[in-house]
Structure formats: C-alpha cells, structure tokens
Amino acid sequence: MATKQLLHLVIGGELTDLTGTTFKDLTRIEFVGAYASNAEAVKAWRTKAQATVDNALMRYFVIHAHKLIDPDAKSE
C-alpha cells in the first residue's frame, strides 16, 4: 500500500529577534521546498538549519500545509 502524501513546506529567513517568529524581511524568505512526508521535510529543515548555525537569527520552519488545505482530515 502506498504511503499517503502529506504536503509539508520548509521555509526560512532571518528573524527580528530571538524571542519571536517575526521575519526581518518577508521579501527575503527562502522557500526550501515542498515534501510529501514529515520525515523528508525534517531532513531538509535540519540540513538548512545546520548550514546557518552561525547566524543566531536565522530560522527554518516546517509548515504542515496538508493541515491547512484540509483541516478536518485525520493525518500523521
């Protein structure tokens, strides 16, 4: 049986401060990619986060887009 595709997006950018999630410049948000599973998205997130570890304000996020598209669906 095929694994159900669940859309996950990975984005990142520099934040205004360490205590929040407000991006410094929305025009500079980096779209890392779209992934069919949480595991794939986390792998991409980890790679980007580790590559920018020297910039404390740089953050990457996994967005569970499948939950936004169909909020009533049961999923992982």
Side-chain angles (χ1 to χ4, degrees):
M1 180 179 204
T3 303
K4 183 177 180 181
Q5 182 185 57
L6 300 172
L7 179 61
H8 296 78
L9 306 175
V10 179
I11 66 163
E14 198 166 20
L15 301 179
T16 57
D17 64 62
L18 295 174
T19 62
T21 56
T22 302
F23 289 102
K24 187 179 285 187
D25 183 352
L26 288 176
T27 66
R28 299 193 67 193
I29 296 285
E30 179 184 2
F31 175 71
V32 178
Y35 304 91
S37 71
N38 189 60
E40 292 175 81
V42 168
K43 183 178 177 183
W45 165 83
R46 184 171 286 116
T47 299
K48 292 302 287 186
Q50 288 175 343
T52 59
V53 71
D54 291 336
N55 182 348
L57 291 173
M58 188 64 84
R59 293 286 192 274
Y60 288 87
F61 300 91
V62 174
I63 300 170
H64 299 267
H66 60 94
K67 292 181 181 180
L68 300 172
I69 293 169
D70 190 1
D72 296 327
K74 295 189 189 294
S75 62
E76 319 176 340

